[in-house]
């Protein structure tokens, strides 16, 4: 598809301070989330939970795209409308996670490479027919003693670019997600160094493989301290280092940067996004959050149909708070405010 049409889709997803809901938890990951609220992970419970999210009145004011999992793309809402159709009718672009997960990288203990390229062209054709207009592929880079290796960064960048080229060929906007994990005890400076190396390699490969930068979105981690680091960077430090890194490595032609939350709490993810947007850059700087948009909604719902409205309120609140952060006009007191 022409890069111009891909560009129009990408821009519509992040228009008007909107972001993305990552609801593409694989069957294994959603089980972990359901375990935390003691709900059994059956196909029907997964459908009911996604139904709660996607039928939330008004969420489309803050969310321009939803990433679905293969199973979810094929499921329908309570009234029988297929989820992609339901979302599209609200002006929310349906997306699809297409990688098949991160697996151990041979010869590199502790490092991973994302799989899913085999047969991907045919899968993209089917996903397009089912209504997907954007897609996601997540690469995982782990910080540790002597890692990440150049090999790990290189193979992941290569796979991201191969995926992105196939996605664009199918008329589907790729979301290129190279995630530097925040689970270790590294400093923020080390995260800056690894994120810089990773982004350099990713854009090098995207260029080499002819991916149209104007027809993609980038989904990166923020430059942030590892969870176990005794000194935690402040949100203004995170904002400064994140923008410094992205200004150096991400071409201005990319139509949007949508951060992952990566294990930050809901309010942390909003605070940091707001700080980033108070500085700003040449691209829309928005969110593509999974946990940071869903944690309190899951807790409110707990699998009980009587709590659907409470779950929807919690989700809508987070979506609204993050859209305010994209505008750079969020403040902590809004968290207490009664929803309008
Ligand atoms: P988190 O925001 O929970 O990190 O999830 C985003 C995502 O899609 C990871 O691939």
């Amino acid at each position: 598809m022409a890069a111009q049409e891909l560009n129009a889709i990408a821009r519509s997803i992040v228009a008007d301070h909107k972001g993305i809901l990552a609801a593409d938890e694989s069957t294994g990951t959603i089980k972990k989330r359901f375990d935390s609220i003691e709900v059994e992970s059956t196909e029907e419970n997964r459908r009911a939970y996604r139904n709660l999210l996607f039928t939330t009145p008004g969420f489309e004011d803050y969310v321009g795209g939803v990433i679905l999992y293969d199973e979810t793309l094929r499921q329908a809402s309570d009234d029988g409308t297929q989820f992609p159709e339901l979302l599209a009718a609200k002006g929310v672009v349906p997306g699809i996670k297409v990688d098949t997960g991160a697996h151990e990288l041979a010869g590199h203990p502790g490092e991973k490479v994302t799989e899913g390229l085999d047969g991907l062209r045919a899968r993209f054709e089917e996903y397009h027919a089912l209504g997907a207009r954007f897609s996601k592929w997540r690469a995982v880079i782990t910080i540790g003693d002597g890692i990440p290796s150049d090999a790990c960064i290189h193979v992941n960048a290569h796979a991201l670019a191969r995926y992105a080229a196939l996605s664009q060929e199918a008329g589907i906007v790729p979301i290129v997600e190279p995630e530097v994990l925040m689970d270790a005890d590294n400093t923020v400076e080390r995260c800056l160094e690894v994120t810089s190396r990773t982004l350099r390699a990713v854009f090098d490969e995207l260029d080499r493989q002819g991916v149209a930068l104007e027809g993609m979105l980038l989904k990166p981690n923020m430059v942030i301290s590892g969870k176990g680091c005794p000194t935690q960077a402040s949100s203004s430090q995170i904002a400064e280092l994140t923008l410094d890194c992205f200004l150096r490595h991400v071409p201005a032609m990319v139509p949007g940067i949508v951060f992952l939350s990566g294990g930050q709490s809901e309010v942390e993810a909003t605070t940091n996004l707001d700080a980033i947007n108070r500085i700003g850059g040449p691209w829309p700087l928005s969110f593509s959050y999974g946990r940071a948009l869903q944690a309190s909604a899951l807790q409110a719902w707990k699998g009980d149909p009587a709590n659907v409205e409470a779950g929807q309120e919690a989700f809508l609140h987070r979506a609204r708070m993050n859209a305010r952060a994209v505008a750079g006009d969020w403040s902590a007191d809004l968290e207490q405010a009664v929803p309008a």
Side-chain angles (χ1 to χ4, degrees):
M1 182 191 277
Q4 246 175 340
E5 289 165 65
L6 293 166
N7 178 257
I9 298 168
R11 283 191 295 122
S12 78
I13 294 172
V14 293
D16 306 324
H17 305 135
K18 286 184 287 191
I20 295 174
L21 165 65
D24 61 327
E25 296 85 0
S26 62
T27 308
T29 303
I30 196 75
K31 181 178 182 314
K32 276 192 242 162
R33 306 280 184 265
F34 279 11
D35 283 350
S36 74
I37 53 165
E38 293 175 24
V39 170
E40 197 189 340
S41 182
T42 62
E43 187 175 340
E44 171 50 23
N45 284 343
R46 294 191 292 270
R47 190 205 61 80
Y49 174 59
R50 267 69 180 247
N51 183 79
L52 175 160
L53 294 173
F54 307 158
T55 60
T56 297
F59 89 101
E60 62 273 21
D61 293 344
Y62 314 111
V63 171
V66 174
I67 320 175
L68 305 168
Y69 185 59
D70 186 282
E71 174 186 277
T72 324
L73 188 73
R74 301 166 197 277
Q75 286 176 326
S77 66
D78 290 351
D79 73 4
T81 313
Q82 293 298 121
F83 282 143
E85 203 184 315
L86 173 109
L87 293 169
K90 289 175 185 255
V92 177
V93 183
I96 179 75
K97 166 193 174 75
V98 301
D99 66 73
T100 55
H103 298 265
E104 303 214 336
L105 177 60
H108 293 81
E111 299 197 281
K112 292 191 163 165
V113 62
T114 301
E115 297 183 358
L117 287 169
D118 290 352
L120 187 53
R121 175 175 277 132
R123 285 171 60 215
F124 269 131
E125 258 178 50
E126 191 197 4
Y127 288 147
H128 192 277
L130 289 170
R133 292 297 175 267
F134 75 98
S135 66
K136 183 194 99 171
W137 178 288
R138 172 174 178 255
V140 176
I141 307 293
T142 308
I143 297 183
D145 253 357
I147 60 171
S149 63
D150 283 339
C152 173
I153 290 178
H154 177 75
V155 295
N156 277 294
H158 187 262
L160 275 167
R162 283 194 61 196
Y163 140 76
L166 282 164
S167 187
Q168 291 189 336
E169 180 189 271
I172 295 179
V173 172
I175 298 199
V176 172
E177 180 181 9
E179 175 174 6
V180 177
L181 295 176
M182 58 175 284
D183 302 328
D185 58 2
N186 58 277
T187 62
V188 72
E189 288 81 11
R190 177 98 165 104
C191 179
L192 172 64
E193 177 218 320
V194 174
T195 305
S196 301
R197 267 170 77 197
T198 302
L199 290 175
R200 203 156 49 227
V202 166
F203 281 96
D204 189 34
E205 277 298 336
L206 292 172
D207 180 54
R208 183 173 295 123
Q209 298 189 37
V211 174
L213 297 183
E214 66 272 43
M216 61 166 273
L217 292 167
L218 178 70
K219 174 163 175 168
N221 54 288
M222 296 176 188
V223 174
I224 196 168
S225 313
K227 267 205 164 135
C229 182
T231 335
Q232 291 289 311
S234 67
S235 56
S236 59
Q237 256 179 306
I238 290 168
E240 276 168 34
L241 293 177
T242 299
L243 280 162
D244 193 63
C245 179
F246 287 84
L247 284 169
R248 266 176 224 285
H249 300 295
V250 183
M253 194 179 242
V254 171
I257 295 180
V258 288
F259 291 99
L260 58 95
S261 59
Q264 300 177 60
S265 74
E266 289 182 329
V267 174
E268 262 177 315
T270 304
T271 308
N272 291 333
L273 185 62
D274 179 67
I276 286 170
N277 276 292
R278 282 173 193 268
I279 304 176
W283 338 258
L285 292 153
S286 188
F287 57 92
S288 174
Y289 292 164
R291 284 163 285 181
L293 272 174
Q294 296 182 54
S296 49
L298 267 172
Q299 285 302 328
W301 175 55
K302 285 202 160 63
D304 185 344
N307 297 333
V308 164
E309 259 183 53
Q312 292 185 329
E313 247 176 61
F315 166 52
L316 187 65
H317 177 66
R318 288 269 46 93
R320 187 195 291 115
M321 292 297 98
N322 285 307
R324 291 293 290 261
V326 175
D329 74 350
W330 172 85
S331 65
D333 48 309
L334 289 172
E335 292 291 340
Q336 315 310 330
V338 181

